[in-house]
Amino acid sequence: MRPFTYSDGGVTPSESLLVRRLIDQGVRDPRVLAAFARVPRTFFVPEDRQDEAEADRPLDIGCGQTISQPYVVAAMTEALQLTGRERVLEVGTGFGYATAILAEMLPVSAPIRTLEIIPDLADRARRVLRELGYHNVEVRVGDGALGWPEAAPFDAILVSAAPREVPAALLDQLAPGGRMVLPVGPSPEQQELQLWRRVPSGRLEKRGLMQVRFVPLTGSSQRSVH
């Protein structure tokens, strides 16, 4: 995390435990693991859930939303295969935990755009991310299913809430070679984490990754395809 320096070389005992747990769960990308070591989850959970911050499970953050399980955030980030040169969009900012992980994967000069439909959550995430030094993050209140068309195309899109079907606007905003990771399904009991890729010819490819449980993507604009 940019504004903090830890005496043991950048990793506190709790973050070391988290990273070891992610390795045990199959996360292998060293840059993803380093990002998790640098971003304490405690900054992104409510005050009354601080004692659960390092638990490997989703936590309620209010407004009917959750902060995702660390392993799922890691798996989604790893699936994006970020190299540090991407234009990145996140849908579903929440308190900004996954946003901070993404920011750690990119140069400080690279803009990250993130959409949150609930104004109170967007305001809190914007404040916390700014306080922690992530000045390259732009938080906008808006319907995530519409994406951010004026900043498109994007090389990587991470969606932290589940539409019933894949929003066409997000697929349209994928650059050639771009990747999108999102949960898809009609209910939390029937959701699949999917990786979508636009190959250089423009064709879209889809791969199922695992079964997950996310809050639904809300908004009035979910024109669907596939």
Side-chain angles (χ1 to χ4, degrees):
M1 182 169 292
R2 296 183 180 108
F4 297 92
T5 301
Y6 297 120
S7 59
D8 63 352
V11 183
T12 66
S14 61
E15 276 76 63
S16 297
L17 178 60
L18 172 59
V19 170
R20 287 196 295 269
R21 193 166 60 210
L22 292 175
I23 293 170
D24 290 343
Q25 291 170 311
V27 179
R28 293 291 178 263
D29 187 328
R31 296 178 64 246
V32 173
L33 295 169
F36 275 83
R38 291 192 294 265
V39 181
R41 198 173 180 229
T42 51
F43 290 106
F44 301 96
V45 301
E47 290 294 327
D48 61 353
R49 306 303 292 270
Q50 287 293 305
D51 60 338
E52 303 175 77
E54 297 305 323
D56 190 34
R57 61 176 182 270
L59 297 175
D60 181 19
I61 60 173
C63 303
Q65 305 298 302
T66 62
I67 178 174
S68 297
Q69 176 186 359
Y71 167 66
V72 173
V73 178
M76 295 173 74
T77 306
E78 188 170 53
L80 287 175
Q81 298 181 314
L82 297 174
T83 65
R85 298 185 295 272
E86 290 86 359
R87 292 161 291 180
V88 174
L89 172 68
E90 180 192 28
V91 173
T93 317
F95 272 13
Y97 180 56
T99 321
I101 296 294
L102 292 171
E104 290 287 348
M105 301 284 292
L106 298 171
V108 295
S109 59
I112 296 175
R113 295 173 173 89
T114 180
L115 289 160
E116 173 55 56
I117 200 167
I118 300 173
D120 287 349
L121 297 184
D123 289 344
R124 186 191 189 280
R126 187 182 295 112
R127 174 177 56 80
V128 171
L129 290 164
R130 187 181 302 118
E131 289 174 353
L132 296 178
Y134 297 109
H135 300 296
N136 57 325
V137 174
E138 184 176 356
V139 182
R140 173 186 287 186
V141 176
D143 185 340
L146 291 175
W148 202 310
E150 65 269 32
F154 296 100
D155 305 297
I157 300 176
L158 186 147
V159 183
S160 296
R164 291 182 298 277
E165 296 183 315
V166 182
L170 296 180
L171 290 173
D172 291 344
Q173 291 172 38
L174 267 185
R179 289 86 61 199
M180 176 168 64
V181 176
L182 79 168
V184 180
S187 71
E189 294 75 28
Q190 303 178 60
Q191 291 175 2
E192 180 184 57
L193 190 65
Q194 298 178 356
L195 170 64
W196 288 79
R197 183 186 303 271
R198 185 177 296 281
V199 299
S201 67
R203 182 170 53 86
L204 289 163
E205 296 179 343
K206 180 189 79 169
R207 179 161 65 94
L209 300 178
M210 59 181 172
Q211 296 301 302
V212 290
R213 290 175 65 96
F214 277 79
V215 297
L217 183 68
T218 57
S220 59
S221 56
Q222 291 190 45
R223 177 174 63 89
S224 62
V225 298
H226 305 278

